[in-house]
Amino acid sequence: MHAHRPRTPETEHTRRWFMNRSLLLGGAAAMATMTGCSSSSSETTSTASSGAPSGMPSGGPGGMGPGATEVKYADFVGVTMDGKVVDDLFSIHSTDVSTDKVVQAAQAFLDGLTAKERKASVFEVDDDEWLAWSNVDGYEREGARMGDLTQKQRNLGYALLGTALSVDGLAQTRNIMKLNAFLGDYNGGGKETLTEGHYYFTFMGTPSTTKPWGFQYEGHHVAINYFVLGDQVVMSPTFMGSEPTSATYNGEKITLFKPETKAGLAMLRSLTSAQQKEVVSADEKGGTNMVAGAGQDNLKLAYQGLAAKEFTSAQRQKLLDLVGVYVGYMDDGHAAVKMKEVEEHLDDTYFYWIGETKDSSAFYYRVHSPVVLIEYDAQSPLAYGENAQIGDGGAPSGQPSGMPSGMPSGGPGGGMGGTPTQQHIHTIIRTPNGNDYGVDLLKLHLETDH
């Protein structure tokens, strides 16, 4: 396996920044997609530990990856309210849900790689590589690139995803990849990155039914982190997004994020007018409102909105239904385990909303408890639709002159120009209080010498 690779602002982050800057100089269309698909800090709702300038996307210089906000594995704390982790939320225990099949599928994929491909794809179980994911297309990634593999190797990769994910989860992932290729065909940019092939597998540790290990699958608009310890699974952070969210690709009509959109609206509309006043923010919807995206592993985020302890039983069920959409992208057995964990903390689960509330509205919502954090964000168009911020080479309305086309201009909600739309949606699910990437479970495993 790889040795633990040092990542410093002077080396790794700078290398990735200059690599992506060269892409900027080579294609405005691809760049507009990259910059617009970073996650952003919100000055009004969170306190990130990055020290990034006001309005700067949390994805680093130009919004092209974790950048300066990326933390090392050894410094990982997790999403907390105030920097202090709530103790005793997670434990090593039997779930009675076998991981044998995902172990076998992972091993089969690795066995199908060449020695060179395998060496490039396998890291230590506590490597910084876990935290070095991004949802932007031009980000420089490690591991086995699907587009560089043989069809047989790719099939083994899809078999692994099909075992780790539910039927819906695999379909969602594949459709994100297809619409990524659609975007490349549509805007004529990113001929390598805006394809079905620009997605990577990395492995942390060795697949095992007893020892800790995991894998990461990431590329433009999808990043799946899957940690395994015995029969326990943590699938977070998992980022899923798309632009567009509905299009026809190779004769197939694909529509994404309808369940997330409908379940969010159903939750909101189940509330009384008095409850909605506590849930819906007075803030105007920004171009991007997501706060817990790439590079925000040590985010400090206070609860906002209304807690489910104030809900009726029917409203509580609507909230569980909403969470279930996101949790339901992992394999069915472990999804049920996670939902039980969520339900145990339901009283302390908060629902929060920014924006309008019509079926077609572009809005943001958040579900936040000690054990789950979900964000849904309908964002400004970057490369698709009438208000796309590319095409003529000019800056979007209100953007400072001299700034590359598509570059976020700062300001509330990350400052992306253009009217937010349901044709550009980002979502993420995290496990707060230290168990993203299964970090807390790994610490417990090492402490108790399992």
Side-chain angles (χ1 to χ4, degrees), residues 418-429:
T419 303
T421 171
Q422 286 188 18
Q423 278 284 34
H424 187 188
I425 291 174
H426 285 188
T427 71
I428 194 166
I429 180 170

Side-chain angles (χ1 to χ4, degrees), residues 13 16-17 20 31 34-41 48 50 52-53 55-70 133-136 139 288 290-296 407-408 414:
H13 300 147
R16 289 183 174 180
W17 161 237
N20 287 314
M31 186 60 208
M34 287 191 290
T35 56
C37 295
S38 66
S39 50
S40 298
S41 296
S50 65
M56 177 71 75
S58 62
M64 288 170 288
T69 62
E70 180 186 333
W133 63 270
S134 172
N135 53 280
V136 298
Y139 187 63
T288 172
M290 180 175 281
V291 294
Q296 295 300 318
M407 186 71 77

Side-chain angles (χ1 to χ4, degrees), residues 229-250:
L229 176 59
D231 62 6
Q232 290 180 268
V233 167
V234 177
M235 198 175 95
S236 72
T238 289
F239 178 104
M240 292 184 173
S242 190
E243 185 189 20
T245 57
S246 182
T248 299
Y249 174 67
N250 285 347

Side-chain angles (χ1 to χ4, degrees), residues 55 92-93 109 115 121 213 222 252 351 405:
I92 295 175
H93 60 275
F109 176 78
S121 305
W213 70 282
V222 64
E252 178 185 4
F351 184 60
S405 175

Side-chain angles (χ1 to χ4, degrees), residues 31-106:
M31 186 60 208
T33 305
M34 287 191 290
T35 56
C37 295
S38 66
S39 50
S40 298
S41 296
S42 170
E43 300 167 66
T44 59
T45 61
S46 66
T47 305
S49 58
S50 65
S54 174
M56 177 71 75
S58 62
M64 288 170 288
T69 62
E70 180 186 333
V71 298
K72 295 180 181 297
Y73 191 96
D75 298 325
F76 174 85
V77 175
V79 176
T80 61
M81 287 186 62
D82 55 6
K84 298 177 182 178
V85 172
V86 178
D87 295 326
D88 302 322
L89 290 173
F90 312 105
S91 65
I92 295 175
H93 60 275
S94 176
T95 65
D96 294 323
V97 180
S98 176
T99 54
D100 289 356
K101 289 184 178 180
V102 75
V103 170
Q104 293 165 7

